[in-house]
């Protein structure tokens, strides 16, 4: 039931009903990464469309990360009506789909009553058979599948969703109309995860087309104004959880790849790491890695944002306890536990007294570089001429 409630929260997030984010981006917390979102526009007579269709090439399981506990990856078609009703439906992967190497169909709305035909009055519905819910249809797709899906208004106040070979899904939607009056369609790709950039490759939209009432489908070529980031995160996201959207063809909507063309490279280990005061980048050997915050000095110690300090030491398991203000860093059998405002560091249960304490500044946790480096078998030295900490 707990997981169901979590998933219910996801649907609300997608439709702008609430925002869930972690300001630090620690594992175990949830970041709702963008929304790459494209929305249609109305013509001069306030007429939009009555159908959208698209083909999607789905990632393999190993190409989606960070959703093991509380997250999901989404690829949705959506519709908005003049009365403010909003619905999105498409394929997604969550904690139940991940071990089964599959994707399933999920829908969410900002109103009740869409899924009455399927025995639900909730604002969301997962179209798959589960032990606690045996009512179909069961719409599942193996990793790597190519899926063509269509969302259309078949009659007023009702929309249908269709994937060839499966039962057509019919949903109530007051305000939906076959004439396309003040009706907007959209395409959404997003991720709810505790790992920034959780799509790594092979998440591609192809053959996206729209239909006006009484006309044939035409390819959707969005204007720059139609291409939006999600309404909850952008490149200024303090957790830096943005996923990068790139296109690999001149014809814009034919292929949208989420971080696939420029996946984030792991930080190499073993070489010297250099952090300079006031500089929003650090170096590992000759490689320079950008940061969205800079180290600072206080009480003779250099403080570095926890994410980048951990990253430079090869630590990916970072846990944050908001209630206790505690950071836990794990790397293999090595651990370090630090608490904001407390000068005690614990490593493998052994306390170490520091001469400074972790701090929060501008909504970020900063850790003293020397003590964290030493907890993981590294040495942090100070170079006064360049105002830099060098970790070796």
């Amino acid at each position: 039931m707990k997981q169901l409630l979590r998933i219910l929260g996801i649907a609300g997030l997608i439709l702008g009903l609430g925002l869930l984010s972690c300001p630090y981006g620690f594992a175990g917390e949830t970041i709702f990464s963008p929304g790459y979102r494209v929305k249609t526009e109305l013509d001069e007579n306030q007429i939009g469309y009555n159908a959208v269709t698209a083909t999607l090439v789905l990632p393999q399981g190993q190409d989606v990360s960070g959703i093991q506990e509380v997250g999901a990856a989404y690829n949705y078609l959506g519709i908005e009506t003049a009365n403010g009703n909003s619905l999105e439906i498409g394929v997604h992967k969550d904690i139940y789909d991940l071990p089964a190497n599959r994707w399933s169909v999920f829908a969410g709305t900002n109103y009740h009553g869409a899924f009455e035909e399927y025995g639900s009055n909730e604002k969301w519905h997962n179209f798959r058979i589960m032990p606690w819910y045996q009512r179909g249809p069961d719409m599942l797709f193996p990793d790597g599948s190519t899926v063509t899906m269509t969302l259309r208004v078949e009659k007023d106040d009702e929309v249908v969703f269709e994937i060839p070979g499966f039962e057509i899904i019919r949903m109530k939607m007051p305000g939906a109309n076959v004439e396309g009056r003040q009706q907007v369609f959209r395409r959404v790709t997003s991720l709810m995860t505790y790992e920034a950039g959780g799509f790594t490759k092979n998440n591609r939209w192809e053959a996206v087309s729209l239909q006006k009432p009484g006309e044939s489908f035409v390819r959707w070529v969005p204007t720059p104004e139609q291409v939006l980031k999600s309404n909850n995160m952008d490149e200024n996201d303090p957790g830096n959880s943005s996923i990068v959207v790139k296109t690999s063809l001149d014809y814009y909507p034919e292929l949208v790849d989420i971080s696939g063309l420029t996946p984030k490279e792991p930080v190499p280990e073993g070489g010297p790491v250099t952090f300079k005061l006031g500089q929003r980048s650090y170096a590992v050997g000759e490689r320079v890695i950008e940061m969205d915050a800079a180290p600072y000095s206080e009480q003779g110690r250099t403080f570095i944002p926890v994410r980048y300090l951990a990253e430079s030491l090869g630590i990916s398991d970072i846990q944050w306890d908001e209630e206790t203000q505690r950071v836990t860093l794990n790397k293999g059998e090595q651990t370090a536990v630090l608490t904001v405002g407390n000068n005690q560091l614990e490593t493998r249960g052994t306390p170490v007294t520091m001469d400074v304490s972790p701090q929060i500044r501008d909504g970020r946790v900063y850790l003293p570089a020397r003590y964290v480096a030493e907890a993981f078998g590294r040495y942090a030295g100070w170079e006064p001429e360049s105002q830099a900490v060098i970790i070796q």
Side-chain angles (χ1 to χ4, degrees), residues 36 64 87 127 157 232 246 249 276 306 311 334 343 366:
Y36 172 78
V64 179
L87 177 149
F127 292 92
D157 299 326
N232 57 307
K246 289 187 176 291
L249 296 179
K276 291 187 178 182
V306 60
E311 184 181 77
Q334 294 173 290
N343 68 347
Y366 287 77

Side-chain angles (χ1 to χ4, degrees), residues 189-202:
T189 298
S190 56
L191 186 69
M192 191 178 197
T193 178
Y194 57 79
E195 287 185 15
F199 280 123
T200 56
K201 62 180 178 179
N202 299 332

Side-chain angles (χ1 to χ4, degrees), residues 10-231:
I10 294 171
L13 282 166
I14 296 168
L15 295 165
L17 303 178
L19 305 179
L20 177 60
S21 64
C22 167
Y24 311 110
F26 296 119
E29 298 292 337
T30 302
I31 302 170
F32 187 61
S33 293
Y36 172 78
R37 185 178 301 242
V38 182
K39 297 173 67 172
T40 62
E41 295 176 339
L42 304 176
D43 65 17
E44 64 276 8
N45 298 315
Q46 296 298 295
I47 300 299
Y49 299 84
N50 61 359
V52 60
T53 186
T55 297
L56 188 71
V57 182
L58 298 171
Q60 300 287 340
Q62 65 267 27
D63 299 332
V64 179
S65 63
I67 69 170
Q68 288 83 350
E69 293 184 11
V70 294
Y74 304 94
N75 301 282
Y76 285 167
L77 299 177
I79 179 174
E80 302 172 16
T81 57
N83 62 355
N85 283 344
S86 180
L87 177 149
E88 287 177 350
I89 183 169
V91 287
H92 90 154
K93 179 188 285 286
D94 64 13
I95 58 170
Y96 299 106
D97 297 314
L98 191 65
N101 300 312
R102 71 185 187 197
W103 293 69
S104 61
V105 169
F106 184 90
T109 69
N110 65 351
Y111 62 95
H112 291 283
F115 312 110
E116 290 178 353
E117 185 170 334
Y118 306 99
S120 172
N121 192 44
E122 301 289 351
K123 293 182 178 180
W124 63 277
H125 194 77
N126 212 131
F127 292 92
R128 66 181 174 206
I129 301 297
M130 297 296 285
W132 56 84
Y133 192 86
Q134 297 292 318
R135 191 164 179 173
D138 199 27
M139 304 185 74
L140 306 175
F141 307 92
D143 286 352
S145 296
T146 299
V147 178
T148 298
M149 52 189 183
T150 301
L151 178 64
R152 69 179 184 275
V153 182
E154 193 166 85
K155 61 182 181 181
D156 288 351
D157 299 326
E158 181 180 282
V159 296
V160 300
F161 178 77
E162 184 175 10
I163 294 178
F166 291 84
E167 176 185 334
I168 293 177
I169 295 174
R170 301 182 183 278
M171 296 162 288
K172 301 295 183 184
M173 188 175 191
N177 63 93
V178 294
E179 296 84 9
R181 299 185 310 273
Q182 295 182 284
Q183 197 159 262
V184 174
F185 280 84
R186 63 193 186 210
R187 182 179 84 237
V188 182
T189 298
S190 56
L191 186 69
M192 191 178 197
T193 178
Y194 57 79
E195 287 185 15
F199 280 123
T200 56
K201 62 180 178 179
N202 299 332
N203 198 80
R204 304 195 305 273
W205 291 94
E206 301 176 341
V208 184
S209 298
L210 294 165
Q211 185 179 50
K212 275 189 172 292
E215 300 180 8
S216 300
F217 276 99
V218 295
R219 293 198 302 179
W220 185 4
V221 184
T223 66
E225 292 75 22
Q226 293 174 322
V227 181
L228 309 170
K229 278 291 191 77
S230 172
N231 58 1

Side-chain angles (χ1 to χ4, degrees), residues 332-359:
E333 296 182 355
Q334 294 173 290
T335 64
V337 181
L338 303 97
T339 303
V340 173
N342 189 319
N343 68 347
Q344 294 294 308
L345 177 153
E346 291 185 16
T347 176
R348 298 185 184 179
T350 301
V352 175
T353 300
M354 306 180 290
D355 54 9
V356 290
S357 304
Q359 300 179 4

